[in-house]
Amino acid sequence: MANPLDELSSIKVKLSIVIVAAVVVTLAVNEIGLALNFRAGFRAGVAAIIALGMVQLMARGMTSPLRKMETAATQLANGDLSVRVSSHSADEVGRLATAFNHMADELYELDRQRRDLVANVSHELRTPISALRATLENVVDGVVEPDPALLRTMLAQIERLQRLVSQLLDLSRLESGGSPLHKITFPALDLLEAVADEASLHSPDVEFDVVVEPKDLDVSGDPERLHQVIANLVENAARFTPEGAGVHLRAFEQDETVTFEVVDDGPGIPSESLNRVFERFYRTDEARSTDEGGSGLGLAIARWIVELHGGKIRAEQRDPNGCRMVVELPSPS
Ligand SMILES: Nc1ncnc2c1ncn2[C@@H]1O[C@H](COP(=O)(O)OP(=O)(O)OP(=O)(O)O)[C@@H](O)[C@H]1O
Ligand SMILES: [Mg+2]
């Protein structure tokens, strides 16, 4: 049952009302007792009982959320993250209960993310480890010869493992702030050309073209980190763009913002995945089914780096097909 004082937003006001009401009742009982010629002791006793009853009734609900919160905090500390407290009052205790529930929600979400991360990491590590183990067992049992082709496959699995582990370390350093940026101002053209040169070594069948407007456009940031961001976008684009098609790298300045774009003619990203590709380990079904590429950490790392620079990153679908990845950084001041 709701308490009549629930609507009040301050404990001080509630207590004042309870005290004043108790004093008024005591005086009234005293007056009535006097008129009926009751003894002083009897009048005091009756007044005290009625005042106490009133305080009990009116103050009900003021302290019970605190007791509930004490129990809930103990449950929370013991690992039960589903526990919540209910409070109908609008005072400090009610607001504390709301803050408590909010904290419990956040803890629950963090715990869910932690469990997801462990599950994803284990899954991603298990696949190459199982493949390596199976191959090595065959070699040890004499079923297959350790010829160069087999050793290359094994090396590829080990490289995949190494890449995953270093990406995870990188992400954890970025998230914990343990990887400060070494910012300088440098030409955007240098960045895009370096990435394009590197990418054409890995994907000789893909054309990479670079356009920077104006040519001497400067960007401010950590050159290595920004190289890492653009290189990941270009690597993804080269992976998805069809043979013979190109990947376009652009940089231009507008409204105090330096924008980088990496555009390809691949299948693009389905609209429901446009935001999700920046989540750790997220890959679209298309990427999963090809078994190419990495574990889905590249864009999560890219987003951290861009946000540390005070910028934004987003994926857009091109019409009729293709993907445009856009990175916006504040212009050098
Ligand atoms: N240019 C693109 N065209 C189509 N899909 C893309 C493109 N870029 C990214 N994606 C989708 O986003 C997913 C996540 O990309 P991300 O770079 O984070 O991971 P990855 O390339 O799969 O692995 P990693 O970068 O860790 O080696 C990809 O698996 C793919 O599904
Ligand atoms: Mg990638």
Side-chain angles (χ1 to χ4, degrees), residues 9-67:
S9 64
S10 157
I11 291 184
K12 225 168 23 179
V13 176
K14 278 187 185 180
L15 285 177
S16 311
I17 291 177
V18 170
I19 290 169
V20 169
V23 169
V24 169
V25 166
T26 310
L27 282 176
V29 168
N30 192 38
E31 288 303 315
I32 296 167
L34 271 177
L36 296 176
N37 272 336
F38 287 136
R39 276 183 295 122
F42 183 73
R43 293 199 309 269
V46 172
I49 290 168
I50 295 179
L52 276 176
M54 266 186 55
V55 171
Q56 276 292 329
L57 198 73
M58 295 178 80
R60 180 174 39 82
M62 278 168 69
T63 50
S64 65
L66 285 176
R67 280 194 299 276

Side-chain angles (χ1 to χ4, degrees), residues 163 167 232 236 239 264 277 282-284 287 294 296-299:
R163 181 181 159 98
Q167 278 184 318
N232 183 267
N236 288 345
R239 198 162 83 229
D264 68 64
V277 288
Y282 185 84
R283 280 175 292 176
T284 57
L297 287 173
L299 289 178

Side-chain angles (χ1 to χ4, degrees), residues 306-332:
V306 171
E307 287 179 356
L308 282 180
H309 280 83
K312 286 187 203 140
I313 184 167
R314 64 174 186 277
E316 289 176 0
Q317 179 73 342
R318 289 178 72 213
D319 194 22
N321 65 303
C323 171
R324 176 186 289 113
M325 301 296 298
V326 184
V327 173
E328 292 174 339
L329 298 177
S331 292

Side-chain angles (χ1 to χ4, degrees), residues 200-250:
S200 41
L201 289 181
H202 293 125
S203 319
D205 305 332
V206 181
E207 276 283 316
F208 296 92
D209 74 280
V210 173
V211 177
V212 176
E213 264 304 319
K215 269 203 158 19
D216 60 351
L217 176 64
D218 275 339
V219 55
S220 157
D222 184 325
E224 270 182 45
R225 286 301 196 179
L226 292 181
H227 184 101
Q228 194 181 351
V229 172
I230 307 292
N232 183 267
L233 302 184
V234 171
E235 185 193 302
N236 288 345
R239 198 162 83 229
F240 287 99
T241 214
E243 248 176 62
V247 169
H248 315 281
L249 288 75
R250 308 241 176 287

